[in-house]
Amino acid sequence: MMHLVMKDFYVNKKYILIAVLYLGFALFATENLAPSLIFALAISYGIVTRSCFNDDKDRGSIFLRTLPIKASTIVISKYVLGLIIIFMNVLILLLFSLIKGNGLESYYGSISMVVFTLSLVYAIYLPVFFKYGYMKATTFQTIFFMGIMLFSFGFGALADIIQSISIGQGQWIKEALVNFIEMIPKNSTTLMLITCLVAFIILAISTVISLKFYNDSSA
Amino acid sequence: MKDNMLEIINLCKSYGNFELSDVNISLPRGYIMGFIGANGAGKTTTIKLIMNMIKKDSGEIRVFGKDHVKYELYIKNKVGYVSEQPVFYENQTVAWNVNFAKKFYDEWDDALFEDLLTRFNIDSSKKINQLSKGMKMKTALAIALSHHPELLILDEPTSGLDPIVRDELLGILMEFIQDESRSVFFSSHITSDIEKIGDYVTFIDNGRIILSEEKDKILDEWKIVKGDINLMNNYKKDLIGLEQTRTHFKALVKDFDAFKAKYDISSLVIDKPTLDDVLLHLTKKENLR
């Protein structure tokens, strides 16, 4: 398993080096975390997709199938790669908190965001990759996220609609939304732990789907 | 009872319009089997099924007497596989690919691999995409041989190689089976290669096995007969893959001793067939149901 993960890190070595150099610079030179966070997310997505690209491009995935490796090991190794990258992102955030001298708790929101976003990205990307290959998976992911962005523009309009609903009319929608918001824990530690748990459940479900797709696919 | 290294029983697989149906093959220990067929006949599909790279619809595949799915890791540890287009991580060096692959084998032999690199004149610091097709094939073969496989499965290994490299490769396969404990399953549409080194020959056409037999038996017992077109009807029932011109006919005869006993052959011209002749006559449409 670890040979496969190490191989994926090796084929991404230039990419990772650039990321480390940038984050090292950002760590000391900037106060604002947001640009570095977005950069780290982009690089994290890129590392997994590039490892898939390398497997797909030169028929490396066929090479793997000729070796004595279990199908489940090949599939799970990609998720392990994703988890290691998520863990590295969390470590970088902790390092930020230490160097900047801010309290750790102020980074819980960022940690939750990083863990959840990357888990969701990997959970959607990898099954499509194991079913259809790199090109289709990347196209699908791009369309999917563009769709989400377009959909998110509609949130403002949705809020306006809810605001304009007069009392009595559609009261249940308001109540349901308020109840949902009240269910979200206010404690940032609990919120972070719940977010991580949900993210890992999503990844686990995605792994099962990828295994099914990989076993059914042809080399 | 023969110790079969590879046994395929009633194997079926369909892909859109193509169907591999009721494939049966047995390869005993210590022999080379040539798997012959035209492009698209089903050779690569059969090999990918053996290697569990695609899922079968039905049938059984046993390698070393073990189910190829249940014992996949055990089998892949003891099988050396080379495909027509050898697959590697192309942007990496030979050394990197080998260092990566060898970690998965239980019996990898570094000394043997180094010997093979020297013998094949392969520079391990070169990137795979800088190698010629022949060098890639030799690299794939060096990897396939360096974990002491008992069975080599080669999919069109000589296709597209120049005659010198082809001959060298066939020599390596002959060496491989010298101790009679190992076998080779070798697909090709170049019948002359199989004629040189094969012990058994299996012909596949349009997804069906049309003949699986000892090579010498085919070449000794089968004959090409040629004669005057006016005499053709006398023999027609026993002729396979009949070719006719306005004046003459040409066909394959399966059991020539029986044919000779049954008919007056004094006016016929008898030739020893090549495997190419056998393939061409057997795959003529009128022979296929």
Side-chain angles (χ1 to χ4, degrees):
Chain A
M1 168 83 77
M2 285 321 288
H3 300 319
L4 293 173
V5 178
M6 292 312 292
K7 179 262 300 173
D8 286 336
F9 275 113
Y10 183 84
V11 295
N12 275 297
K13 58 183 188 295
K14 283 183 197 160
Y15 214 52
I16 293 169
L17 184 69
I18 293 168
V20 168
L21 287 175
Y22 175 80
L23 289 172
F25 165 77
L27 213 57
F28 295 103
T30 65
E31 282 300 319
N32 188 1
L33 184 64
S36 304
L37 210 58
I38 292 167
F39 178 76
L41 286 175
I43 287 284
S44 304
Y45 170 62
I47 290 172
V48 170
T49 54
R50 266 183 64 89
S51 84
C52 293
F53 170 71
N54 271 293
D55 281 352
D56 211 50
K57 183 187 65 161
D58 297 323
R59 307 196 308 152
S61 54
I62 304 177
F63 184 41
L64 293 182
R65 286 201 172 206
T66 67
L67 298 172
I69 312 172
K70 277 186 186 168
S72 57
T73 307
I74 294 172
V75 171
I76 291 169
S77 75
K78 287 281 185 250
Y79 285 88
V80 170
L81 173 72
L83 284 172
I84 291 173
I85 291 166
I86 290 173
F87 184 67
M88 284 164 74
N89 274 281
V90 172
L91 274 183
I92 288 166
L93 283 169
L94 294 178
L95 204 62
F96 255 91
S97 83
L98 280 176
I99 290 172
K100 301 292 178 193
N102 303 328
L104 189 61
E105 204 160 322
S106 61
Y107 288 89
Y108 283 177
S110 301
I111 291 173
S112 303
M113 197 271 277
V114 163
V115 172
F116 191 78
T117 310
L118 286 179
S119 298
L120 193 66
V121 166
Y122 297 149
I124 294 168
Y125 182 83
L126 289 172
V128 186
F129 167 71
F130 284 116
K131 175 88 177 166
Y132 298 108
Y134 170 79
M135 280 307 291
K136 284 184 181 168
T138 306
T139 309
F140 172 79
Q141 189 90 317
T142 308
I143 293 169
F144 182 79
F145 282 108
M146 280 171 71
I148 285 185
M149 280 168 71
L150 287 173
F151 182 71
S152 66
F153 292 142
F155 284 156
L158 184 68
D160 291 344
I161 291 167
I162 291 169
Q163 283 294 327
S164 67
I165 294 170
S166 61
I167 299 185
Q169 211 186 0
Q171 186 66 21
W172 64 274
I173 301 177
K174 271 188 179 175
E175 279 175 10
L177 279 172
V178 169
N179 288 341
F180 177 72
I181 290 164
E182 278 179 355
M183 272 167 60
I184 299 172
K186 302 296 174 283
N187 179 308
S188 59
T189 312
T190 317
L191 182 61
M192 182 184 71
L193 291 174
I194 289 176
T195 311
C196 291
L197 182 70
V198 171
F200 294 143
I201 290 172
I202 292 172
L203 274 180
I205 294 168
S206 168
T207 310
V208 174
I209 297 168
S210 288
L211 274 169
K212 168 96 179 78
F213 284 165
Y214 188 78
N215 280 323
D216 290 346
S217 68
S218 307
Chain B
M1 201 178 118
K2 274 183 184 170
D3 174 17
N4 284 327
M5 298 287 262
L6 172 65
E7 201 165 10
I8 300 177
I9 305 158
N10 300 333
L11 178 66
C12 295
K13 170 79 187 173
S14 56
Y15 266 137
N17 289 334
F18 177 76
E19 192 183 7
L20 198 68
S21 51
D22 285 327
V23 170
N24 288 284
I25 295 169
S26 294
L27 170 62
R29 185 180 288 274
Y31 294 98
I32 297 179
M33 177 179 278
F35 190 39
I36 303 178
N39 291 325
K43 301 187 297 291
T44 299
T45 302
T46 307
I47 286 177
K48 281 186 172 178
L49 285 163
I50 298 170
M51 293 300 292
N52 198 27
M53 291 163 79
I54 47 176
K55 272 175 112 174
K56 64 186 182 230
D57 292 341
S58 62
E60 269 183 64
I61 300 174
R62 299 190 159 273
V63 184
F64 315 123
K66 294 180 189 295
D67 181 83
H68 77 134
V69 176
K70 210 170 163 187
Y71 292 91
E72 184 178 359
L73 291 198
Y74 172 85
I75 289 168
K76 284 186 175 172
N77 249 305
K78 290 178 176 294
V79 167
Y81 166 75
V82 179
S83 62
E84 181 187 0
Q85 303 275 338
V87 284
F88 302 102
Y89 285 93
E90 294 265 329
N91 277 327
Q92 307 297 336
T93 61
V94 171
W96 184 90
N97 274 279
V98 171
N99 280 327
F100 171 68
K102 74 179 190 184
K103 290 173 183 137
F104 298 100
Y105 289 103
D106 295 339
E107 289 183 56
W108 183 268
D109 186 338
D110 273 322
L112 175 60
F113 182 72
E114 288 303 322
D115 278 355
L116 289 166
L117 282 190
T118 313
R119 183 175 165 190
F120 296 162
N121 209 13
I122 299 166
D123 177 358
S124 63
S125 65
K126 271 195 170 173
K127 283 190 174 181
I128 297 287
N129 57 17
Q130 294 172 326
L131 301 179
S132 64
K133 188 176 177 195
M135 293 307 264
K136 277 186 196 174
M137 188 55 79
K138 286 182 186 175
T139 306
L141 196 61
I143 294 177
L145 291 169
S146 295
H147 59 275
H148 297 288
E150 289 180 27
L151 172 64
L152 268 186
I153 297 180
L154 311 171
D155 188 10
E156 306 257 8
T158 54
S159 171
L161 298 183
D162 66 63
I164 298 164
V165 180
R166 260 170 64 193
D167 206 55
E168 200 180 344
L169 200 138
L170 297 179
I172 293 161
L173 299 186
M174 288 297 283
E175 259 177 53
F176 178 75
I177 58 144
Q178 281 308 302
D179 69 357
E180 297 185 355
S181 66
R182 299 183 284 197
S183 301
V184 178
F185 185 72
F186 166 30
S187 86
S188 183
H189 61 271
I190 306 168
T191 51
S192 59
D193 291 342
I194 289 167
E195 212 159 310
K196 262 188 204 164
I197 63 162
D199 300 300
Y200 286 84
V201 181
T202 298
F203 290 94
I204 186 167
D205 183 55
N206 206 17
R208 289 167 189 272
I209 300 295
I210 50 173
L211 177 69
S212 192
E213 189 57 271
E214 282 177 44
K215 180 192 77 185
D216 289 342
K217 201 170 170 188
I218 295 173
L219 297 180
D220 291 344
E221 293 180 9
W222 294 47
K223 298 286 180 217
I224 292 285
V225 297
K226 297 173 195 167
D228 191 297
I229 194 81
N230 298 318
L231 300 171
M232 187 181 76
N233 283 338
N234 300 342
Y235 313 104
K236 203 167 180 180
K237 289 203 301 195
D238 291 309
L239 300 178
I240 299 167
L242 191 58
E243 281 175 15
Q244 302 170 60
T245 64
R246 275 192 306 145
T247 55
H248 286 85
F249 76 90
K250 180 182 169 191
L252 188 70
V253 169
K254 193 176 173 183
D255 181 352
F256 186 69
D257 285 341
F259 185 83
K260 203 162 59 176
K262 192 170 168 185
Y263 302 107
D264 169 17
I265 60 162
S266 58
S267 54
L268 295 177
V269 176
I270 313 298
D271 280 339
K272 202 174 168 174
T274 60
L275 289 179
D276 237 0
D277 293 325
V278 176
L279 178 67
L280 288 173
H281 284 275
L282 280 177
T283 55
K284 277 195 176 294
K285 280 197 178 102
E286 61 267 31
N287 298 321
L288 306 173
R289 275 178 232 162

